[in-house]
Amino acid sequence: MSRDDVNVVWLGSPTFPKAAHDALQDTQLRRNLKHATTTIRDKRLKAVAELDDWETLREAGSQIKDRVMRHLDEYLLQLEASVTAAGGVVHWAQDAREANAIVSKLVRAKGATEVVKIKSMATQEIGLNEALEDDGIEATETDLAELIVQLNDDRPSHILVPAIHRNRTEIRDIFKREMGKHGIAAPEDLTDEPRALAEAARVHLREKFLRAKVAISGANFACADTGTVGVVESEGNGRMCLTLPETLITVMGLEKVLPSFSDLEVFLQLLPRSSTAERMNPYTSLWTGVTPGDGPQEFHLILLDNGRTKTLADVEGRSALHCIRCSACLNVCPVYERTGGRSYGSVYPGPIGAVLTPQLVGVGTSEHADSLPFASTLCGACYDACPVRIDIPEMLVHLRAKVVDSHRGGVPKPEALAMKGAQVVFGSPRRLAMAERLGAMAGRFVGIRGGRWLPGPARKWTGARDVPVPARESFRTWWRKAGRR
Amino acid sequence: MSGSKDAILARIRSALGDVPRGEQSEDVEVTRAYVDSHATGDVVDLFVERVEDYRATVTRVGESDAPAAIARILGEHGVENLVVPPGLPEELLAAYQGSRLSDDPPLTPAELDASDGVITLAAQGIALTGTIVLDAGPGQGRRALSLVPDLHLCVVRASQVAADVPLAVRTLVPARPTTFISGPSATSDIELDRVEGVHGPRTLAVVLISG
Ligand code: SF4
């Protein structure tokens, strides 16, 4: 494993079972998570139920992504041509080190020593902030939750609400202690009212927005045919970054390209409802290259591989690249609800993290990443929630087999990993067995799904767990009851 | 670095060994069986209801009452220093008494920050999602104008309201910088409590001109 690959998983992360064990002791975290996931989950169901063609939208979303992945080279070349024609500059980065170096060079060329940033999974994945810091450039996260996390030198716990593990009093203390060190200090009499805290962030960041020369963003999509790039957000910090500075640098995973501008009609319906459970998020920005007299006059788009082509090569794991980072799968996941995002030790937590992380770093290269596919009961809730219909349970089974194969004759024992992965979350083998059995009843249990059996040593394990199968609802019913305990 | 571009493209091509050589991208089926619009009933009524759902205000007026309504809303919010983008129809501000900030030559971010508010037209509205679409056309100004001031008064004509997202997307001009605005800026990052107005305008006031 190269040094750069390590950025996807946090250095020194314990395996999932160990981290989950610690997380489970944290009752504050569990309370916050439960509140967050339950709230968003219920809201999402309502937002989705409003569209009676939701299933056809999911189908279209999944097919569009499938088309992109099967012809990724063609679409990326087309995107490069469109962005260039519109006045932007396209860069290609094979790994984190290369992407960071490109960003750093561009920032220094502008003579800037500070940049403002919009929350972006891709830049977290490559450890951009740390790399810039090494080069004497201070990167300020401008998303409220990311700011909280950054000021506290902490790690995010959720894709959508990264600071969900902190309550208002903790946030006030962080603001009072840290803001002054980085710019405008929080007011002396700052209360822990969310409104007051948001106001403190507004004042602290506005000064930075107004003077920033360079901004860095991720991208939710980029349309190959027109070169249009899109960012979906709520707070307006994205618009500030995308509009005010002279130079904009966007770091985008290769997989975010869409064939056509018109495909936005699908994703602008799927994403907000799945993500924040709104009909539409407050702000969506679309820009195409450079517009004279409006917004940044210099635009750089960095196309990032960093393990994505590795993921693409695995036909059964490929669709993990379809992910639009909505976080719906986190909010419905019984394992995530109990352990939180940080237990996954990866930029990508929850069910999608459990399949994406080991693929990005490569199965068999990190004991930590290898433990993630076992962090699941295979209940299937993530698949039902996913707006682009990624069959995460099936992919977990596939990856478990790959992990087993890669450890053939070595340690750790896959069975041990498997049992620990989810068992620790549920506290007793009996409750795990129940969760798995009921999950199996949904027809997605390890060994029997689609008539396929796990190869190698895992086969014995799955065979032993073959059980009769009732309806999916029973797992949900059980889970709701179990959750109340 | 063209070396990296070639390396990445080569890796993609070798990763896609399972894709038949002759397959074209259009050969991968995309079934667009979804509907163009989920809206039922009166589209303009729906737009009003949905914008108000985001706790933005909507004032419905006839053409001749628009200037008075605009002046009243600006007055209620204490706007005395209003940013006015190029191309905004003069008659809309006929009743407004305060001073104006013209964006020609372009205002600095600090000048925008010191203003009390901005008035813009819109490119279109989307009823189902209560969205306003700006595309920097005449009377809308560049993107920063509707972002930095604390109040955004947006004038939308009933005839501009599209029923739903697919219909709206099909009329967008990709080359224009486009912003979808659905209610005021908001965050739920602190214990999931919704707070309006983080970085964008804290007040979004829509004046809907019917007829
Ligand atoms: S896997 Fe699906 S549900 Fe999970 S974050 Fe990605 S798109 Fe959303």
Side-chain angles (χ1 to χ4, degrees), chain A residues 35-301:
Chain A
H35 172 60
T37 52
T38 315
T39 309
I40 306 175
R41 201 156 63 207
D42 294 348
K43 256 185 90 187
R44 190 191 66 88
L45 284 176
K46 279 194 208 113
V48 162
E50 279 188 10
L51 304 189
D52 49 15
D53 61 344
W54 185 251
E55 288 308 315
T56 41
L57 280 167
R58 286 176 82 204
E59 174 82 27
S62 155
Q63 290 171 328
I64 292 168
K65 288 291 188 177
D66 195 36
R67 178 183 279 189
V68 168
M69 295 319 149
R70 290 176 76 89
H71 297 275
L72 189 59
D73 50 341
E74 172 194 332
Y75 287 120
L76 289 173
L77 286 170
Q78 195 189 358
L79 176 68
E80 179 184 50
S82 321
V83 170
T84 309
V89 183
V90 175
H91 309 258
W92 302 68
Q94 298 190 60
D95 53 25
R97 189 198 316 255
E98 194 176 2
N100 290 333
I102 296 169
V103 176
S104 178
K105 197 168 156 214
L106 291 168
V107 175
R108 276 180 289 140
K110 295 281 119 195
T113 53
E114 49 181 16
V115 296
V116 285
K117 273 192 71 203
I118 321 169
K119 168 175 145 63
S120 134
M121 309 290 303
T123 60
Q124 266 179 45
E125 174 191 321
I126 60 176
L128 178 65
N129 294 3
E130 295 75 20
L132 289 177
E133 196 182 316
D134 288 347
D135 289 346
I137 299 161
E138 187 184 1
T140 302
E141 293 291 349
T142 62
D143 185 88
L144 180 54
E146 293 291 336
L147 177 73
I148 296 166
V149 168
Q150 188 185 40
L151 284 174
N152 199 38
D153 208 6
D154 198 352
R155 268 167 178 165
S157 56
H158 191 284
I159 298 181
L160 184 67
V161 274
I164 199 62
H165 57 293
R166 297 280 165 225
N167 64 31
R168 57 182 74 191
T169 312
E170 292 174 290
I171 296 170
R172 181 201 55 201
D173 296 344
I174 293 168
F175 278 11
K176 285 186 76 162
R177 192 179 69 232
E178 298 293 332
M179 272 185 171
K181 297 181 195 163
H182 302 274
I184 293 184
E188 268 306 305
D189 56 352
L190 182 64
T191 69
D192 63 3
E193 272 307 300
R195 186 163 297 281
L197 295 170
E199 172 68 20
R202 179 183 175 100
V203 172
H204 178 79
L205 288 173
R206 182 154 288 221
E207 181 240 353
K208 291 179 188 285
F209 287 133
L210 296 184
R211 71 158 193 254
K213 296 265 178 287
V214 181
I216 296 170
S217 84
N220 290 99
F221 0 79
C223 311
D225 60 345
T226 60
T228 307
V229 183
V231 164
V232 168
E233 53 136 355
S234 294
E235 296 174 7
N237 59 309
R239 290 179 71 196
M240 289 281 177
C241 292
L242 300 170
T243 310
L244 294 183
E246 293 158 14
T247 301
L248 171 62
I249 304 169
T250 299
V251 182
M252 181 186 106
L254 299 178
E255 79 282 16
K256 295 282 181 212
V257 62
L258 293 178
S260 157
F261 187 86
S262 62
D263 293 322
L264 293 175
E265 69 189 36
V266 175
F267 292 97
L268 289 180
Q269 294 191 77
L270 287 176
L271 182 54
R273 288 180 197 259
S274 303
S275 178
T276 48
E278 291 166 299
R279 295 186 179 115
M280 192 61 93
N281 49 289
Y283 297 135
T284 295
S285 294
L286 306 173
W287 72 97
T288 306
V290 167
T291 308
D294 188 344
Q297 296 300 294
E298 200 177 314
F299 170 53
H300 297 271
L301 179 64

Side-chain angles (χ1 to χ4, degrees), chain A residues 374 397 400-405 408 414-415 418 446-447 453-465:
Chain A
F374 297 92
V397 171
R400 285 179 182 187
K402 273 182 87 169
V403 169
V404 169
D405 279 352
R408 215 180 276 266
E415 292 89 338
V446 205
W453 287 82
L454 289 185
R459 177 174 185 140
K460 207 164 133 215
W461 180 72
T462 57
R465 258 139 225 288

